[in-house]
Amino acid sequence: DNLRPVEQPKVEVKKFVPFSTLEIVLEIPVVGEIKLPDYKKTSAKRKPIKVAANEINQVLENLRTRSADKKKVDRAAKKDDEAVIDFKGTDTKGEAVKGADGKDYPLVIGSKTFIPGFEENIEGMKVGEEKSFDVTFPKDYGAKALQSKKVNFKVKLNKLNEIVKPKIDDKFASTIGPFESLDQLKADIKKQLQAEADQKVERDYESELVNEISDKTKVKIPEVLINEQVEAVKQELRQNVVQRGMTYDEYIASSGMSEEEYAKKEIVPEAERRVKAGLVLSEIADKEGIVVTDKELETRLEQLKSQYKDEKMQAELDKNENKREIAARLRTEKTINFLKK
């Protein structure tokens, strides 16, 4: 039988007679039969994205903002100024609200980076002035624990900078790069935005393609595989939230769910989806005889080594377990490319 074991077997000796008889029972979880649909016929389609003029203008405005000069001023704060502030938020009980505080935070008034009502209260303040005001978080705010919550902010204006932005013209374009005119800069921005959009279209198409085939596939997945993937998803989530300046516990709390509820609703379904998709792609690769050659693996390893100059990282790439992982990824890529064709 073509069994697919997923961990080491449990061994039980049933009968043992020295030099004569040995009866053992091996118990091991395996992947059940994988019943694939007709994976060469799918309804998945690429959904092209066309770069709009306002997207190009937004990039130009961002470049303009980054190129702006800051001039320290001593007057009342107004829209488009950079206000360097200390702030602290407390709830109706006077207790500190997590994530609602900062020191020497540079806030551009009118940028709409803070909750509605906050930036408007900074307008008119002068350097050294302190102010207290209430703001109610939006009902659709990202952190569920703060949705529709009334918070009192105490703010001190430490410094005020007037932002002097350059005029967007041919001269401005020449300071950004090797461009002789504004039209050339715009054309380059459009080209880069379109390349990013095309990459997203391809990623979305691949995801839709694999998910459609996976949804139509029947297979019994051992619990051990799902549990392993659950831990991988959790670890990935921990790394992502740290980059956002939050702890894992704070992120779970912001969802308004307990860790157990969040895992059941978000993490476990994602783990199941990933495991099933992996099994489906592996089964298709087996049926179609898709393999990774030594030359293909060596080429990918060389590409990775050229990206990572650190000697320890390069040594890691030469380890057999990592080579197997890279080969598995390559096989997945080749299988998806086969399906796309």
Side-chain angles (χ1 to χ4, degrees):
D1 285 42
N2 186 23
L3 296 176
R4 298 181 179 86
V6 295
E7 66 176 4
Q8 292 297 319
K10 294 177 183 177
V11 181
E12 182 184 353
V13 177
K14 288 292 187 180
K15 186 177 181 181
F16 174 59
V17 179
F19 310 109
S20 173
T21 306
L22 174 62
E23 290 182 10
I24 61 173
V25 173
L26 301 179
E27 185 181 332
I28 183 169
V30 297
V31 176
E33 181 186 0
I34 299 176
K35 295 181 180 179
L36 293 168
D38 184 353
Y39 50 82
K40 293 182 182 179
K41 293 180 181 178
T42 67
S43 61
K45 292 180 181 177
R46 292 178 177 84
K47 300 175 181 66
I49 298 173
K50 189 175 180 181
V51 175
N54 67 316
E55 293 179 81
I56 298 170
N57 291 336
Q58 184 60 56
V59 173
L60 280 172
E61 189 58 35
N62 291 340
L63 291 170
R64 185 181 178 218
T65 299
R66 288 210 296 265
S67 303
D69 290 326
K70 294 178 183 179
K71 178 184 174 185
K72 188 176 179 181
V73 290
D74 187 13
R75 54 164 172 74
K78 61 181 183 180
K79 192 178 178 182
D80 295 328
D81 285 342
E82 180 188 69
V84 182
I85 59 173
D86 292 343
F87 64 97
K88 185 176 182 180
T90 54
D91 60 20
T92 52
K93 296 178 182 178
E95 296 178 356
V97 176
K98 281 188 177 181
D101 63 293
K103 288 279 187 183
D104 284 326
Y105 187 94
L107 172 65
V108 176
I109 302 172
S111 62
K112 297 182 180 179
T113 51
F114 272 35
I115 58 173
F118 188 97
E119 294 171 29
E120 290 85 345
N121 272 285
I122 307 301
E123 289 187 56
M125 288 183 68
K126 292 186 176 181
V127 176
E129 184 182 344
E130 295 183 21
K131 188 176 182 180
S132 177
F133 53 87
D134 292 334
V135 174
T136 301
F137 279 75
K139 61 182 179 181
D140 58 349
Y141 191 69
K144 287 190 177 181
L146 291 174
Q147 289 178 353
S148 301
K149 189 169 184 175
K150 193 179 197 179
V151 175
N152 176 262
F153 282 98
K154 287 182 172 60
V155 179
K156 181 183 178 183
L157 180 57
N158 298 325
K159 190 166 67 172
L160 188 66
N161 295 318
E162 183 178 325
I163 299 177
V164 183
K165 296 181 181 180
K167 185 180 178 182
I168 297 180
D169 53 15
D170 292 345
K171 183 180 178 182
F172 169 74
S174 69
T175 65
I176 300 300
F179 306 107
E180 295 179 1
S181 67
L182 179 59
D183 286 342
Q184 282 186 5
L185 173 57
K186 284 183 176 181
D188 187 72
I189 291 170
K190 183 177 182 179
K191 182 180 177 182
Q192 291 189 47
L193 288 175
Q194 191 61 59
E196 291 171 11
D198 291 344
Q199 287 177 0
K200 184 181 185 305
V201 167
E202 206 62 21
R203 287 195 304 270
D204 290 347
Y205 171 58
E206 290 174 1
S207 180
E208 185 181 344
L209 187 66
V210 173
N211 287 339
E212 182 182 333
I213 296 169
S214 187
D215 289 343
K216 292 178 181 177
T217 298
K218 293 180 180 179
V219 58
K220 188 175 181 181
I221 306 171
E223 199 69 26
V224 63
L225 278 184
I226 295 172
N227 291 339
E228 285 176 3
Q229 193 61 47
V230 162
E231 292 307 311
V233 174
K234 283 183 178 179
Q235 183 58 32
E236 193 177 296
L237 180 61
R238 285 190 179 95
Q239 292 172 347
N240 289 339
V241 298
V242 165
Q243 291 174 358
R244 300 184 204 174
M246 299 174 72
T247 66
Y248 178 75
D249 291 338
E250 286 172 348
Y251 179 79
I252 297 297
S254 73
S255 72
M257 293 182 275
S258 67
E259 185 173 4
E260 187 178 345
E261 288 171 335
Y262 188 85
K264 185 177 180 181
K265 187 175 180 181
E266 303 289 342
I267 295 177
V268 173
E270 174 62 14
E272 290 174 343
R273 186 193 66 76
R274 291 187 187 184
V275 171
K276 190 175 182 182
L279 291 171
V280 166
L281 290 172
S282 179
E283 180 73 1
I284 292 172
D286 288 345
K287 283 187 176 297
E288 298 295 337
I290 298 171
V291 296
V292 174
T293 66
D294 291 341
K295 186 176 180 181
E296 287 172 330
L297 178 57
E298 194 58 38
T299 300
R300 178 58 61 90
L301 285 169
E302 289 303 318
Q303 289 173 347
L304 290 170
K305 285 180 180 179
S306 68
Q307 293 174 24
Y308 301 105
K309 302 298 182 183
D310 182 75
E311 289 184 7
K312 288 183 179 179
M313 188 61 193
Q314 293 203 351
E316 283 292 316
L317 291 170
D318 285 327
K319 289 184 177 179
N320 287 331
E321 60 267 31
N322 291 327
K323 282 185 177 181
R324 284 194 294 270
E325 174 67 23
I326 294 164
R329 288 184 195 173
L330 260 173
R331 193 175 189 228
T332 295
E333 289 174 20
K334 291 183 71 172
T335 305
I336 291 174
N337 286 334
F338 165 80
L339 291 171
K340 284 158 67 175
K341 291 175 183 176

